[in-house]
Amino acid sequence: MSSLSDLLMVRLCLLLWLLVKSVAAPDPAVVTMTVDDAACDIGGDDWRFDCFPQGTPAQTECEARGCCWRPPLKPRPPSPSGLTVPECYFPLDYQSYRTQAVSSSRGHGQVKATLTKGSPYPRDVRNIQADFFAHSTNVLNIQIRDADRERWEVPLLHNRRHCGRGQGSAWPGHAHSGHEMGAGNVLTFGDFLVTLSKPGQPFWFQVARTTGEILIESTGGFIYSDQLLQLSTTLASSLLYGLGERRGGLAVSANWTRVALWNRDHHPKENTNLYGTHPFYIARDARGWHGVLFLSSNALDVIVQPAPALTWRTIGGIFDIYLFSGPEIWAVTRQYTEVVGRPFMPPYWALGFHLCWQRYGTANNTRATMDRLRKFGIPQDVQWNDIDYAKGARVFTTDTEKFGNQVGLAGEIHSRGMHYIIMVDCGISNNATPGTYQPYDLGRQMEIFIKDLDGQPLVGRVWPGTTVWPDFTNGQSGRYWRKIAGDFHKKVAFDGAWVDMNEISSFADGSVHGCDEKNPLDVPPYIPGIADRELYKHSICHHGRHAASSHYNVHSLYGLLEANATYHAMLSIRGKRTLVISRSSFVGQGQVSGHWSGDNSGTWHDMHMSIPAMLQMNLFGVPFTGSDICGFFLNATEELCTRWHQLGAFYVFSRNHNSDTCRPQDPGQFGPASAASTRKALLTRYTLLPYLYTLLFYSHVYGDPVARPLFFQYPDDSRTQDIDRQFMWGPALLFSPILEPKQTSVLAYFPRDVWFDFYSGRRVPRSGQVVRLPAQYDVINVHVRGGSVVPMQSPGLTTTVSRELPFWLLVALDDDGEAKGQLYVDDGESLDTYERGLYNMVKFETQKNTLWSKPEFIGYHGNMNLSNVTVFGLQDMPTDVQVNGESVIYQFYDTVLYIPQVKVSLAKPFNVTWGGSE
Ligand SMILES: *[C@@H]1O[C@H](CO)[C@@H](O)[C@H](O)[C@H]1NC(C)=O
Ligand SMILES: *[C@@H]1O[C@H](CO)[C@@H](O)[C@H](O)[C@H]1NC(C)=O
Ligand SMILES: *[C@@H]1O[C@H](CO)[C@@H](O)[C@H](O)[C@H]1NC(C)=O
Ligand SMILES: *[C@@H]1O[C@H](CO)[C@@H](O)[C@H](O)[C@H]1NC(C)=O
Ligand SMILES: *[C@@H]1O[C@H](CO)[C@@H](O)[C@H](O)[C@H]1NC(C)=O
Ligand SMILES: *[C@@H]1O[C@H](CO)[C@@H](O)[C@H](O)[C@H]1NC(C)=O
Ligand SMILES: *[C@@H]1O[C@H](CO)[C@@H](O)[C@H](O)[C@H]1NC(C)=O
């Protein structure tokens, strides 16, 4: 990686060159295709921005685009995502748009520019308008539109109001508002310094911190045609995270990586697009961390190259970019979720263990599995059924003949204090006898389905055979979905919904009649590096019509819109919190659903990759995420499945699920030793649920990740940068699972801090290094960070039981003998408990041998009994332990103090002291 000053020099040179060239800018009408040799000398391969992304061009084709064609200076093999150094690249002076006018008002700057050189793609936008809005002091929004006509814009961010936009807007008074344009066209917007090109110059912009560090700067060819939009920017460093949904390590390599984003039913695999689109990254800069969102629902390429620089290339819509100033990494995720929406608050039962199989086949089999778990004493809160419950796989029907008594099953699940989730696919069968299948009949009557060009519903094929799909951009779709879900709920009382196949996935590519190869929506001039290089492969035709736009534009939003409709339908049907788990996802998904990482396999590699999969979704504001424990495809071995349950016990969303082609893999299937291990891991999870719930509360209110990569907690420790074999829950707990066969120990990195073994309280002797930890067959290593107070609770076999058991507190002292923590409690299922003040928030603080509790808000009156307190990290055995000034019994082993009979209410202030008697 080049040093920052080198980068600055390169950029300055680039800028100077651009400015010099612009003086002699050609008449807009004259399109020149000769390329100046000097302009092709761009200072190394790393700065080449691909001018011919659709393949390997011949020199003549390249030069016809006005680009440079030269073999790489240093040839290299393709990167894992298939990129090489481009032979055809933009010259330094590639000027596509010339700045015409620049203006600014409070919290708003604007550049108007006109096309000077047509791009190689059809239908260039002639006049562009770039608006820079101060969304807030730490969020900047850049929108580049067609100045003459409307284009597709992603409609759904809940918080699109800009502080500086429109009339009567009230941007909170700020010392520097955009008025003083001054020399160099520099505007100060809150934390940002925005520099714009001047009239006559090529269109260009740069965003820096007010303290000077450059965050992004446009460079390398700018294209704005109808179906290809491209913008390259410099990066402040080559350390960046995000850009998903993507399988692979946490950090995105800047060594020529292409991340293609386009929602697709594709089993998780490296270097291909998967089920979700989250064009958001967090990057390091010289001052801290910042984030960038490129809000687009069209198919995208994101290219990261060693300059370091990044290219956004999409095939529709507008440029809509958000910058988040951080500078702390946690501030970036808070700012991001403030814009895209904060996560929903899950019901408490959703934190329990979930179980599913695609082939129970009958209600009796489903019940038998729950019984098996009971027999082994394994906790379970939620039983699921896949599509096998439905008659002919038609959603919202129950197959009483084959499946048996589903109504009774739901009742029995509830009588056990558990909850029931069913599969709700979005494909609606169109082949039932008219009058017998309400979801189709009502949908036709309401004209709710996505239409083909002839105005009739577009027909594809999924599990029930031929199907059509509700258009969730239709204003009536919420009412439609609530009606059919509500009518089914009157029979089968399900508590949550699993929305699958919603990428949209269809077994018939395009439709039962294929697609229109001549329609530029189905076959656009450029297709990003997505699987199969075909937009409608395993999906529907992109000329399909939604109320809002074509499927071409709406496609990647579909899963979010379905999840939203389902979430709101379930809230109104049950009047309580619900859980929706969606496979397809988009920016802002966390507001309405969780996510599982799709159709993984029962391999050790899949198990490992489930960790970065969960962590990246947590950075995207979708904390309620996990992978199918033991894998969906392939038969997991006993050893793998046992280890996977140990890891999966600490997914935020903990579910074992399995394909119909595999043998059963529920935790009761592998005999007593495996079952005992799973029981132990899950009881540990259940013990920790008050802490997990508190983290989910903070996520709901601030957007903080629940499951965290180590780098998030220790951003200044470069050794944490790539760690994806360990993860944390909040700031307090560290998990180091076994991820390989035949191991009885694991290498774990401990950032410089105080760490205790969760089970024994023994201190990890060294930190700031890798430590080998024993991990027998039934052990997953869990460590607690000194300085934390972790609220816990006696575990039950369901959360219905555990919620009534006493709380425990674990106090892990740091080297100063201090610790802090919080506990959030409510009834676990009512709507908007925080917003309505029906909750308790208790803060804990430890100093000088005393633990104090401070109930900060008491609005909930359920169980708050505290039974015992454990303290890790004491030097000496105390001679007396007092609760609220009264001596109590205690035990002391090694450095751990157990206080078993505290008997106070967490709803009232209390203190616990240890040490001498006075
Ligand atoms: C980048 O990838 C090339 C080709 O795979 C490899 O030779 C080179 O060492 C990599 N550079 C870095 C910094 O990882
Ligand atoms: C399920 O079990 C019940 C009670 O044992 C039995 O009556 C019923 O026939 C079973 N149903 C099926 C479909 O096997
Ligand atoms: C989400 O659903 C609610 C309730 O049906 C609806 O009001 C809202 O418009 C939906 N949001 C989107 C983005 O469709
Ligand atoms: C998984 O096990 C089942 C039942 O033993 C068997 O029918 C199936 O072929 C196995 N699948 C694979 C991929 O090995
Ligand atoms: C909490 O403690 C009080 C007083 O000891 C007791 O009366 C009550 O039953 C306990 N509540 C629960 C839910 O255990
Ligand atoms: C602990 O609580 C008792 C009883 O409320 C009180 O008298 C005492 O001062 C408290 N101790 C500390 C150190 O706050
Ligand atoms: C804490 O209290 C629970 C229930 O009262 C008890 O089962 C458990 O063993 C206690 N734990 C410790 C470490 O004292």
Side-chain angles (χ1 to χ4, degrees), residues 384-583:
W384 294 46
N385 274 125
D386 203 318
I387 197 73
D388 53 343
Y389 74 82
K391 188 162 187 169
R394 292 191 182 110
V395 288
F396 300 125
T397 68
T398 177
D399 192 342
T400 37
E401 272 163 49
K402 257 172 63 202
F403 191 77
N405 185 0
Q406 192 186 14
V407 176
L409 176 66
E412 182 162 345
I413 289 171
H414 290 147
S415 75
R416 295 182 183 197
M418 291 168 53
H419 289 81
Y420 187 39
I421 293 185
I422 57 168
M423 161 76 72
V424 177
D425 276 343
C426 48
I428 300 293
S429 162
N430 70 341
N431 57 24
T433 314
T436 63
Y437 186 46
Q438 181 217 22
Y440 181 70
D441 297 336
L442 181 64
R444 279 314 294 266
Q445 196 189 318
M446 293 177 73
E447 295 208 34
I448 221 74
F449 298 120
I450 300 170
K451 294 187 173 64
D452 211 332
L453 292 174
D454 60 4
Q456 292 300 308
L458 188 149
V459 181
R461 194 153 37 78
V462 205
W463 304 114
T466 54
T467 58
V468 295
W469 286 270
D471 168 12
F472 288 104
T473 73
N474 181 318
Q476 294 301 310
S477 59
R479 204 161 63 83
Y480 163 73
W481 204 240
R482 192 163 60 244
K483 170 76 180 148
I484 60 175
D487 284 357
F488 186 62
H489 188 272
K490 286 180 191 141
K491 296 178 217 141
V492 178
F494 59 106
D495 303 297
W498 175 16
V499 295
D500 192 8
M501 306 297 280
N502 51 354
E503 287 75 26
I504 289 174
S505 176
S506 169
F507 303 154
D509 294 343
S511 76
V512 290
H513 313 296
C515 290
D516 179 358
E517 295 289 324
K518 298 217 173 57
N519 189 322
L521 295 179
D522 290 331
V523 184
Y526 174 79
I527 296 180
I530 59 175
D532 300 309
R533 282 282 172 127
E534 225 180 88
L535 285 185
Y536 58 80
K537 183 91 182 165
H538 219 291
S539 186
I540 66 171
C541 295
H542 288 76
H543 65 248
R545 288 179 182 163
H546 294 253
S549 186
S550 58
H551 192 67
Y552 183 83
N553 291 324
V554 171
H555 175 83
S556 287
L557 294 175
Y558 190 83
L560 171 56
L561 297 177
E562 187 206 9
N564 177 63
T566 310
Y567 178 72
H568 285 102
M570 292 306 292
L571 294 187
S572 94
I573 291 165
R574 293 176 70 252
K576 291 177 187 167
R577 276 181 245 165
T578 188
L579 179 66
V580 176
I581 294 290
S582 177
R583 194 170 67 184

Side-chain angles (χ1 to χ4, degrees), residues 850 852 883-885 910-913:
T850 304
W852 286 277
V883 175
N884 285 334
F910 68 89
N911 65 53
V912 180
T913 60

Side-chain angles (χ1 to χ4, degrees), residues 88-344:
C88 179
Y89 58 94
F90 289 102
L92 270 184
D93 60 346
Y94 191 91
Q95 174 184 323
S96 46
Y97 289 84
R98 180 151 40 152
T99 310
Q100 298 295 339
V102 183
S103 61
S104 74
S105 59
R106 212 170 162 74
H108 175 213
Q110 188 178 72
V111 180
K112 294 196 166 191
T114 301
L115 186 72
T116 49
K117 177 154 72 181
S119 81
Y121 302 95
R123 298 181 304 281
D124 280 304
V125 170
R126 286 223 137 266
N127 300 303
I128 62 171
Q129 172 184 322
D131 290 293
F132 297 76
F133 297 108
H135 180 92
S136 64
T137 52
N138 39 39
V139 181
L140 178 78
N141 181 206
I142 305 171
Q143 295 181 332
I144 311 177
R145 291 194 162 73
D146 183 334
D148 303 320
R149 54 190 70 77
E150 304 247 304
R151 293 177 55 81
W152 166 250
E153 292 185 31
V154 177
L156 44 80
L157 293 192
H158 75 123
N159 196 358
R160 295 283 279 184
R161 187 177 46 80
H162 289 293
C163 298
R165 181 190 237 170
Q167 296 198 324
S169 64
W171 192 42
H174 219 259
H176 346 260
S177 78
H179 278 293
E180 333 83 51
M181 291 289 290
N185 288 9
V186 180
L187 289 81
T188 309
F189 289 156
D191 293 348
F192 301 99
L193 212 56
V194 179
T195 309
L196 305 173
S197 48
K198 292 179 181 172
Q201 294 176 348
F203 171 64
W204 172 89
F205 64 88
Q206 180 201 76
V207 183
R209 294 187 182 279
T210 44
T211 41
E213 302 84 3
I214 297 169
L215 302 182
I216 61 171
E217 177 180 309
S218 63
T219 181
F222 171 74
I223 296 178
Y224 205 149
S225 70
D226 188 26
Q227 287 186 285
L228 191 127
L229 292 78
Q230 175 166 317
L231 170 68
S232 297
T233 69
T234 58
L235 284 169
S237 80
S238 49
L239 183 60
L240 69 159
Y241 297 97
L243 301 176
E245 186 176 14
R246 170 179 62 84
R247 173 175 275 201
L250 283 168
V252 182
S253 160
N255 198 2
W256 295 103
T257 298
R258 169 164 52 203
V259 179
L261 300 178
W262 181 238
N263 294 17
R264 166 78 194 255
D265 176 1
H266 196 300
H267 65 274
K269 193 177 146 220
E270 281 78 358
N271 300 306
T272 188
N273 53 311
L274 300 177
Y275 312 100
T277 294
H278 300 268
F280 168 64
Y281 69 78
I282 301 176
R284 171 128 82 197
D285 59 76
R287 187 168 181 81
W289 298 82
H290 65 276
V292 178
L293 166 68
F294 186 89
L295 183 63
S296 166
S297 59
N298 292 99
L300 282 160
D301 277 329
V302 191
I303 287 146
V304 192
Q305 64 192 69
L310 182 143
T311 297
W312 302 102
R313 188 186 297 133
T314 183
I315 62 173
I318 64 165
F319 292 95
D320 196 355
I321 301 166
Y322 286 83
L323 263 90
F324 308 93
S325 66
E328 302 86 358
I329 197 162
W330 54 263
V332 178
T333 48
R334 287 185 175 191
Q335 290 154 5
Y336 176 68
T337 52
E338 195 266 327
V339 169
V340 306
R342 299 250 154 88
F344 73 102

